[in-house]
Each structure stands twice: as C-alpha cells, then as structure tokens.
Amino acid sequence: MMPLTRAAITVATENRTIKMNNIVSDTATPEDATNEPTEVQELVEAETFSPKWAADAPRGGRAVLTRALKESAAVPLFLAQTFVQSLRDVGYDSTTSALCEHVDNSIGAGAADVRIFIRQAGRQGDLQTDIMVWDNGRGMAPNVLQVATSFGGSMTFGSRSGIGRFGMGMKTAGLSMSPVVEIYSWQEPKAYYRMVLDSDAIGRDKANLIALPAPEFITELSPDITDFFVKAMRFPKSRDDQDVPTAQGEDVNDTLGRTGTIVYMPECDRLSFATDRTLVEHATKEMAHVYRRELAKGLKLYINNRRVDPVDPTLSMPNARHAKLDLLKITTSRLVVARKITLRQHENKPQTFEATVKLYALPIEEWAGYPRKMLKDIGVFSGQNISILRNDREVFAGYIPQITKRHSDTNWFRIEIDFPGELDEAFGVASNKQGVRPKGYVIDAINSAIGDDISTVRSEIQRFQAQRNTRDKGSSLSAAELKANETDPFQSEVLESDLSEEERAQIDANLRGLAVVVKRDSETDDEAFERVKGSKYIITYRHDEYWPFYHVENKFGRVILTINTAHPFYAQLYAPLMTTVAAGGNEEETEPTASAGSDGPLVALELMLLSLARAQSIMSRENSAAATTFDAFRRKWSETLRIQLTA
C-alpha cells in the first residue's frame, strides 16, 4: 500500500466524515506501523483510488489514472484519452467557425483552390453527414504531417505573421464536428500520406504515453474520398448549379494535382444545423466576408461546388459582390478618413504596433431611393457596422457599443479596423479567432482617432433622413396633427379668438409668410399655405447642434413644434418610432407603430410634445415672463437628456 505521510486526512463517505491525525507521520518508525491495514486505512485507500468517472468516460484514461495513483507510475502532463475527448467541446460558435480553421490552414499553405464538401445521405431524422476540405497548397512531407497531427505541433508556432499560431486549429476544429479526423497530404502525384485521429480509439488506449504512428503511405484514395470529386452534392439540388471538380471520364488524381491536403471528417455528430442546405448557406454567407480580401486577390473557394464571391461589409471594395449590380450608379462607399493608431501590445508593456482605422460613408443620397429589398441584398442592413481584420482575415463583424451604438443612422456608415497579429492580446483574439474583446485602451484610441468624424457623418446622415422624411409627407398632416386639430374644440382655452374679416385677411397674409418658413421640400408655396391655414398644429424639423431637442412657437394662432434632428432624442427615440425609419421607407423597418390612421407610440409622443407646446404657448400669452422661463427650461431639459442618452 502507498505510504501516507500527511499530518491529517479527512475521509469522506456517503454517511460520515472521519478525521484522523498523524495516521502515519513522516518520522514514524517501523515499530509504529503494523503489517495489517486498519479499517480506516482500507477506507482511505478505497476512497483515494476510486475515480468517480461517468460510465461513458474513456476507459483507457481511467486505467492510466488508476495506475498512476496506485502504482506511483509516471503521470503524463496531458492524459491523452481524456484530453482528446475534452477538445471535442472546445466551443466553436458554429460549424462554419470550425471550418474556417481548415480554410486558414489552406491559405497558410499557399493554396489557390479550396473546396469544402458537405455530403449528406439518408432520410430526415437519420441523416449521415460527412465533411471534407481539400486544397491544392504545398502539402506536407510525411514527418511534417505527423507533427501537424499532434496537438501543439506546428511549423510556425507563435508566429504572428500568418493566420494560425498554436498548432491546434486543424485538430480541434475537426474533432468538434466528428469523432474521427483523417488527414491526407502529398507533395507528388499519387503519393498520399495518411494520418488518423480517432477519439474513441484514443480513449480506449491504456498506454501512459500515446505516440502517433508514422503516416500510412497509399497510392490510391478510397471511394469515400474520391466520390466527393466526381459526384454532385445533394445540395444544391441541380447539378447545373455545381462546378463538380472532376468531369466524367477524367482521373481524380489529375484533379488533386501535384501537391495538396485533404481533411476528412466522416459521420459528423456535432453540427450547428441539421441539414446540408443550412450548413452550406451559412458557411457561404460567413466566409464571403471573412475571406473577402483573399477572394478579391484570386483565391477560389468553393462550398459544395459553388464558388464564393467576396462580400464587403464596408461596401468599399470595387470587386465585391454588391458592386456588380448594374442598377447601382455609385457602387462603393466613400472613404471619409483613414488613420494610423499606435497601440501597446500589452497594457503594461512599452512595445507598440500600428493599427489602421477607416471610416466609410455609404452614398445615402444616391441609394435611399432604391427598393428596400435591393438595399438589403446590397448589405446596407447587414448589421456589420464594424469590421475588424487580423492580418487581412476578418475576426469580427457587428456592433461594438463603446464605439457606435445601433441606431437607424448606423446603417449608413462603416468602420474597418486592421491590426497585425502582434496586437492579438490588445484586441483580445482567442486561439480559435472567434470574435474580439478589445482592451479599454484600444477602444479609447479608436474613439480618439475617429470619434469626431463619426459624429460628423452621423449628423449628415440624420440631416438627410429628416429632410427626406419631411419631404415624403407631402402636404398631408401627420396623425398627431390631425388628432390635435380634432380635439382642439374640447380644450378649455382657445388658441385664437374670433376674428373680423379684415383681421382674417391680415392673418392669411401672415400665414403665407409662415408657410414659406415651414414649407416641405416636396411642397409648392400654395400647398404649404393651405396646409398651414388648415391646421392649428404644425410639426416641423430643424437640424441644429445647438438647439434643444424641441422648440415651441405660437404664431398667428398656430402652435409650431420643431423637432431637432441633430439631438440624440431624434435618433434614439423619435426616428425609431416611425413606421419605417429614414430613407423614405427604404430603411430597415422597425415595429409598425404608427400610421396616418393609428394611435401608436409615435402619435402619443407627438401629442405629448404638442400638448406641452400648447400649454406653454397659452401660459406665455398670459404671462410674458413665462416665455423666458420656458425657454431656459427647454434648454436645461434638453442638455440633461443629451447627457443621459450619450454619456
């Protein structure tokens, strides 16, 4: 029995806890110990040497652990049997994210052609999915292939100049999808070397040290592999939609070429989606922008025999998919500013590297008139307001609240950030390259570099949106203006008293002057006059950084409410409550909250402001000093609201 040398041991059982002091001390003499184990010693031994593993845990790993505990055998740094099983749950966001690891390796190997095959067979509820990735890169020599199959085995470990760094991606990505990963590589025709990682077989192995065997040499690939190259995939359904790599009667070996690598994952049991259609469409959509720069430079990437075209979230690349639409007169966004920022590699270390931050403005004035579906297809509403690339490979696309909050105007500008691999820690890039977690000093540097430019662009977008929104109203009254007019006779105090004919004529003349001031872009002078004359309530808009979020005037018996489109109140509350926000109904739709005939939140908000304006107008008419008080109140309230919405 293994000697016990601890001063105190607590033995836990299901029913009791026994604490023994100095069972066997470090200085105990042979006379102090007996050859017969005591009841407590037997209990300690049973409890210490009985791992409570799950029934389906790797049996080989349990054997190694028990041997190490009972026999003082050497303990490996990594228990391979359990380590490999654990890596199956490394935590990729999606099957696409795992597949990207293989594409990364292909690009790193200098491949010009990369194909991803997702083969599915069987019936609904009992589908078998096999996935394979092939590239025509430089391939691997047998000894390199053997090293590359090991965990941490890499020819470029720690290098930050490429995409991969740690020698883990191919294995963890493959095992995250399938319990078996087969790797084939060659550097001359028909001379294939094969390595296999079988997580179940590794789990059954009882050896303390599991060594990788030498690669198996073969001259012909099995039909399971070659069928990918000669047969059309089940999806897309039409063979005409697929560019099958090997034509009928041709030799697959000719397709494979002189050099290349295949990673095959049969009988995948852990996938993001159940059907090949969804897996293919998701992978195509994501990889189109993740690898857009490589695709633009000529990389041929196929997913189930359909070539992937580059998609650019910034809408600035002239050879991206959106730029090929014939209907677009202006095909790209406009670069507003590009700035270099110097960032520390670590927050507390002096070494620095440069990143590049670019701000783009989409051509809203030219694109706003296009149908909403077309704008959606272009990518205006993709939600990818910020794109971050590491060594030309995108690692994040979306919103970062600390840089730009999501509002209707953020659909119309883009931010692109490029950084070298040396800044991985600063941007918080994990080994599997899924997303970023930028440090606070990185966010501060980005905001300092382009924060003012973002504010200027947003202001321009909001001004255009407000003008277009007003213009599209024509000469019709809003639902709130109509309701305020309808209910005005029920108010206890009137806005204007009975007038004589002469006074009415004078009012009409004044109203014509007022109509010119509040005229909408789409109105004629006469239409504006008729609208103003027929309504006691007028809502108009102004874009002014220094105005409060609303302004009130009472002229010629009319309550004039002016909404300031430059105030964050407009972007964060008023505009989102419209039936469709900005761009004349082409912007991404919010919940349908208000229309000409409904009492939705927008109508309620406008009526609240109109009633406030009416009350202030009447109180100012009765007390001239009140007007000054109300003006100061509006400004103070407006500034308080601005800080609360933006700070």
Side-chain angles (χ1 to χ4, degrees), residues 276-292:
D276 50 359
R277 178 191 183 104
T278 310
L279 289 165
V280 168
E281 290 180 342
H282 186 267
T284 302
K285 178 182 177 182
E286 294 298 306
M287 292 187 187
H289 60 85
V290 169
Y291 298 108
R292 62 182 181 270

Side-chain angles (χ1 to χ4, degrees), residues 604-619:
L605 176 62
E606 290 182 336
L607 286 175
M608 182 191 75
L609 294 174
L610 284 172
S611 63
L612 181 63
R614 189 184 198 280
Q616 291 183 3
S617 297
I618 290 176
M619 293 177 69

Side-chain angles (χ1 to χ4, degrees), residues 387-558:
S387 174
I388 301 180
L389 297 98
R390 174 194 183 273
N391 292 347
D392 283 343
R393 192 263 204 199
E394 187 179 75
V395 291
F396 174 83
Y399 289 94
I400 298 179
Q402 302 96 319
I403 298 175
T404 171
K405 295 181 179 178
R406 184 171 185 173
H407 300 299
S408 64
D409 56 75
T410 54
N411 287 321
W412 292 96
F413 70 90
R414 298 289 188 271
I415 298 169
E416 187 175 70
I417 302 167
D418 278 275
F419 72 92
E422 286 80 5
L423 290 175
D424 280 349
E425 290 81 3
F427 279 88
V429 178
S431 62
N432 56 17
K433 300 177 286 296
Q434 292 183 145
V436 294
R437 292 168 293 278
K439 299 293 192 297
Y441 68 90
V442 174
I443 296 292
D444 291 343
I446 294 170
N447 285 331
S448 177
I450 62 169
D452 291 342
D453 300 293
I454 292 174
S455 297
T456 300
V457 169
R458 296 186 79 159
S459 181
E460 292 173 355
I461 294 168
Q462 291 167 9
R463 182 185 294 110
F464 175 83
Q465 290 176 332
Q467 289 173 348
R468 188 173 179 86
N469 179 55
T470 303
R471 182 172 66 247
D472 288 347
K473 287 184 176 180
S475 287
S476 61
L477 299 178
S478 70
E481 290 169 329
L482 285 169
K483 187 148 192 172
N485 280 295
E486 291 171 358
T487 58
D488 199 67
F490 300 98
Q491 302 289 350
S492 59
E493 297 175 281
V494 297
L495 286 172
E496 61 179 359
S497 56
D498 292 334
L499 301 174
S500 65
E501 289 298 324
E502 184 179 344
E503 289 172 326
R504 289 190 180 280
Q506 182 61 46
I507 286 290
D508 284 354
N510 292 332
L511 289 178
R512 284 196 177 275
L514 177 61
V516 173
V517 176
V518 299
K519 187 177 75 169
R520 297 168 181 168
D521 290 348
S522 59
E523 286 182 315
T524 65
D525 290 347
D526 288 340
E527 288 173 338
F529 170 68
E530 291 300 325
R531 176 171 61 86
V532 170
K533 183 179 180 180
S535 177
K536 294 181 179 180
Y537 296 88
I538 300 169
I539 299 177
T540 187
Y541 302 90
R542 174 170 176 169
H543 197 88
D544 192 322
E545 299 287 346
Y546 302 100
W547 257 39
F549 72 91
Y550 80 97
H551 183 72
V552 173
E553 289 181 285
N554 187 344
K555 289 186 176 181
F556 318 119
R558 269 65 182 168

Side-chain angles (χ1 to χ4, degrees), residues 229-424:
F229 295 95
V230 299
K231 295 181 180 179
M233 297 294 102
R234 193 170 79 163
F235 178 82
K237 291 184 178 180
S238 174
R239 187 183 178 98
D240 293 338
D241 294 333
Q242 299 189 40
D243 181 7
V244 179
T246 304
Q248 191 172 6
E250 293 182 352
D251 187 350
V252 171
N253 293 291
D254 293 337
T255 302
L256 296 176
R258 295 187 57 81
T259 62
T261 299
I262 288 173
V263 181
Y264 177 45
M265 294 149 284
E267 299 184 33
C268 295
D269 58 354
R270 300 185 183 185
L271 300 173
S272 302
F273 307 104
T275 67
D276 50 359
R277 178 191 183 104
T278 310
L279 289 165
V280 168
E281 290 180 342
H282 186 267
T284 302
K285 178 182 177 182
E286 294 298 306
M287 292 187 187
H289 60 85
V290 169
Y291 298 108
R292 62 182 181 270
R293 290 188 178 169
E294 294 295 335
L295 294 171
K297 288 188 289 186
L299 173 69
K300 295 179 181 178
L301 173 62
Y302 294 84
I303 301 177
N304 272 22
N305 299 322
R306 291 193 304 186
R307 189 168 177 179
V308 178
D309 290 325
V311 171
D312 178 20
T314 71
L315 300 172
S316 64
M317 291 173 55
N319 54 355
R321 190 175 65 189
H322 75 275
K324 298 177 182 178
L325 292 175
D326 294 334
L327 294 176
L328 293 180
K329 293 181 180 179
I330 295 180
T331 58
T332 59
S333 56
R334 170 176 58 91
L335 177 63
V336 177
V337 66
R339 290 198 171 92
K340 298 280 189 181
I341 56 174
T342 301
L343 298 170
R344 298 189 301 279
Q345 187 175 28
H346 298 278
E347 193 165 7
N348 298 318
K349 293 184 178 180
Q351 192 173 15
T352 61
F353 297 89
E354 281 191 340
T356 302
V357 183
K358 297 177 182 177
L359 174 64
Y360 295 91
L362 275 59
I364 185 171
E365 295 187 12
E366 291 78 15
W367 287 5
Y370 293 133
R372 180 177 180 275
K373 183 181 184 305
M374 180 177 173
L375 293 179
K376 187 175 182 181
D377 291 342
I378 292 172
V380 173
F381 311 125
S382 65
Q384 296 169 343
N385 177 253
I386 299 177
S387 174
I388 301 180
L389 297 98
R390 174 194 183 273
N391 292 347
D392 283 343
R393 192 263 204 199
E394 187 179 75
V395 291
F396 174 83
Y399 289 94
I400 298 179
Q402 302 96 319
I403 298 175
T404 171
K405 295 181 179 178
R406 184 171 185 173
H407 300 299
S408 64
D409 56 75
T410 54
N411 287 321
W412 292 96
F413 70 90
R414 298 289 188 271
I415 298 169
E416 187 175 70
I417 302 167
D418 278 275
F419 72 92
E422 286 80 5
L423 290 175
D424 280 349

Side-chain angles (χ1 to χ4, degrees), residues 181-194:
V181 180
E182 299 180 16
I183 309 161
Y184 302 80
S185 201
W186 60 98
Q187 293 187 314
E188 58 181 290
K190 295 186 178 182
Y192 308 108
Y193 287 90
R194 177 177 182 260

Side-chain angles (χ1 to χ4, degrees), residues 92-100 131 177 270-273 279:
Y92 284 97
D93 292 338
S94 64
T95 299
T96 299
S97 296
L99 287 172
C100 282
I131 296 179
M177 292 180 272
R270 300 185 183 185
L271 300 173
S272 302
F273 307 104
L279 289 165

Side-chain angles (χ1 to χ4, degrees), residues 120-154:
Q120 205 162 60
R123 296 184 177 182
Q124 194 70 28
D126 188 26
L127 294 169
Q128 177 178 320
T129 306
D130 304 325
I131 296 179
M132 189 178 81
V133 182
W134 165 79
D135 71 62
N136 67 347
R138 65 181 68 96
M140 290 176 278
N143 58 337
V144 175
L145 174 61
Q146 187 177 25
V147 169
T149 308
S150 67
F151 292 93
S154 171

Side-chain angles (χ1 to χ4, degrees), residues 200-234:
D200 292 333
I202 294 172
R204 292 190 296 269
D205 195 316
K206 296 181 180 181
N208 273 37
L209 175 64
I210 298 178
L212 285 171
E216 176 188 3
F217 176 75
I218 56 178
T219 57
E220 293 292 336
L221 299 174
S222 71
D224 280 345
I225 300 297
T226 57
D227 280 356
F228 282 103
F229 295 95
V230 299
K231 295 181 180 179
M233 297 294 102
R234 193 170 79 163

